[in-house]
Amino acid sequence: MNIRLDAIDRNILAELQADASTSLDEIARRVGASKTPVWNRIRKMREAGIIKGQTTLLDPEALGLEACFFVLIRTSEHDAGWLDRFLNAVKSRAEVMEAHRLAGDIDYILKVRVASARAYDDFYRALISEVSIYNVTSTLSMEEIKNTTALPILEAE
Amino acid sequence: MNIRLDAIDRNILAELQADASTSLDEIARRVGASKTPVWNRIRKMREAGIIKGQTTLLDPEALGLEACFFVLIRTSEHDAGWLDRFLNAVKSRAEVMEAHRLAGDIDYILKVRVASARAYDDFYRALISEVSIYNVTSTLSMEEIKNTTALPILEAE
DNA sequence: TATGAAAACAAGGGCTC
DNA sequence: GAGCCCTTGTTTTCATA
């Protein structure tokens, strides 16, 4: 699983993150190598799990997803049954784009995309009816300043 | 820019989100249409801005990005100069994956991916030296429960 | 006449030497 | 690093409702 990445590998990854539809020839030209080695590097990084897959990015607003909420959750319950129900609810709902367990006084944070404030309220009611939650703060995003899928590529590991 | 999406369009988008490398033939088979109409629909949705592009998803840990922080920011300053510096700092730093302006008592939230707590501290110091911030809460993610780029495809708009 | 099936073409990925 | 093959994206043509 662990392979060391050199400067060329990192450049290839940066190109693939920027646009997955860039042709092998073009990537090879940009990183200063030729087709075969570039393709072999990509294959190795895919096998090593560094490259997880390709996806198509869509515009949320064009799909009618006008609202994005961040949900800060504090809970008093930490038993296995509660956790199972919570994880299941979070993973099964497509509105939940992201969910993290946090260190500190907030236990969980969710990022939820929905059509409207009304749709968020439906989601919220469904969630708290499935799992009891001590304290929830729902915060509407007024403006998406930045949202990138491109991970920073570190200079050296 | 605005086009109405029917059930087939939405199925196509769902397939493309799940895996952008799926071939046209395969998508056509799955949505119950043939190649030409599927291709025309994809082209239209690209022109309409619904499809924004393709990207490659990488594994953060394999890239040495072991730490993910959520940064809750309250600020006392809201003048144009401050805002410019803040937006510029956020947009130019590759560690910042996501930034939103919020409604409510937290003004901004950032999601930041870095190699370590130490690297986060470097980022944090650089940020507050560029822009003065009234109150910052930095929270480490202990576990990424869910993280998807696939937007929910609503049944009807 | 508009839509989809199907064939033709071209480009690019995957593989070998 | 050069080159081949074959899949697949892209375009055009043809048929059909």
Side-chain angles (χ1 to χ4, degrees):
Chain A
M1 172 90 184
N2 270 332
I3 57 173
R4 278 201 78 70
L5 302 176
D6 64 12
I8 293 177
D9 289 321
R10 288 193 289 269
N11 285 337
I12 292 171
L13 291 176
E15 292 293 337
L16 289 175
Q17 282 197 126
D19 184 359
S21 64
T22 313
S23 76
L24 268 182
D25 281 323
E26 180 61 21
I27 293 170
R29 200 186 58 76
R30 289 189 200 165
V31 304
S34 79
K35 212 175 149 185
T36 313
V38 169
W39 188 79
N40 282 323
R41 284 161 183 268
I42 291 174
R43 191 174 47 77
K44 271 184 197 139
M45 291 193 283
R46 211 173 320 170
E47 285 164 6
I50 295 171
I51 294 175
K52 293 201 290 184
Q54 283 181 49
T55 190
T56 304
L57 299 177
L58 308 180
D59 180 18
E61 312 223 328
L63 289 169
L65 298 165
E66 306 277 350
C68 178
F69 282 83
F70 286 91
V71 189
L72 308 178
I73 295 174
R74 292 175 183 84
T75 179
S76 45
E77 307 195 38
H78 292 91
D79 64 283
W82 182 89
L83 190 60
D84 274 352
R85 288 202 306 285
F86 179 71
L87 293 184
N88 188 55
V90 157
K91 286 179 187 168
S92 66
R93 290 181 185 279
E95 306 96 309
V96 180
M97 303 297 293
E98 208 159 333
H100 291 252
R101 182 164 60 83
L102 301 178
D105 70 317
I106 300 166
D107 294 307
Y108 297 94
I109 187 169
L110 311 182
K111 182 185 150 195
V112 180
R113 274 206 195 275
V114 285
S116 62
R118 172 62 192 274
Y120 176 74
D121 196 46
D122 294 342
F123 163 82
Y124 173 80
R125 285 167 189 274
L127 181 70
I128 59 173
S129 78
E130 265 182 75
V131 287
S132 68
I133 291 173
Y134 168 67
N135 179 296
V136 183
T137 307
S138 301
T139 324
L140 174 64
S141 167
M142 300 300 287
E143 182 189 359
E144 189 173 289
I145 297 166
K146 183 176 188 176
N147 185 6
T148 181
T149 57
L151 297 168
I153 310 281
L154 302 176
E155 285 308 304
E157 285 197 22
Chain B
M1 171 88 185
N2 270 334
I3 57 172
R4 277 202 77 71
L5 301 176
D6 65 12
I8 293 177
D9 288 321
R10 288 194 289 270
N11 285 337
I12 293 170
L13 291 176
E15 292 291 338
L16 288 175
Q17 282 197 126
D19 183 0
S21 64
T22 312
S23 76
L24 266 183
D25 280 324
E26 180 61 21
I27 293 171
R29 200 186 59 75
R30 289 188 199 165
V31 303
S34 80
K35 220 173 152 182
T36 315
V38 170
W39 190 80
N40 282 324
R41 283 161 183 269
I42 291 174
R43 190 174 48 76
K44 270 182 197 142
M45 292 192 283
R46 215 172 332 187
E47 284 165 6
I50 295 170
I51 294 175
K52 293 200 290 183
Q54 285 180 49
T55 188
T56 304
L57 299 176
L58 307 180
D59 180 19
E61 311 223 329
L63 289 169
L65 298 164
E66 306 275 352
C68 177
F69 282 83
F70 286 91
V71 189
L72 307 178
I73 295 174
R74 292 175 183 85
T75 179
S76 45
E77 306 196 37
H78 291 93
D79 64 283
W82 182 90
L83 190 59
D84 275 352
R85 288 202 307 285
F86 179 72
L87 294 184
N88 188 54
V90 157
K91 287 179 187 168
S92 65
R93 289 182 185 278
E95 305 97 309
V96 180
M97 303 297 293
E98 208 158 333
H100 291 253
R101 182 165 61 83
L102 302 179
D105 71 317
I106 300 166
D107 294 307
Y108 297 94
I109 188 169
L110 310 182
K111 182 184 150 195
V112 180
R113 275 206 195 274
V114 285
S116 61
R118 172 60 193 275
Y120 176 74
D121 196 47
D122 294 343
F123 162 82
Y124 174 80
R125 284 166 190 275
L127 180 70
I128 59 172
S129 79
E130 264 182 76
V131 286
S132 69
I133 291 173
Y134 167 66
N135 180 296
V136 183
T137 307
S138 301
T139 323
L140 174 64
S141 167
M142 300 300 286
E143 182 189 0
E144 190 173 287
I145 296 166
K146 184 176 187 176
N147 185 6
T148 181
T149 57
L151 298 168
I153 310 281
L154 301 175
E155 284 310 303
E157 284 196 25

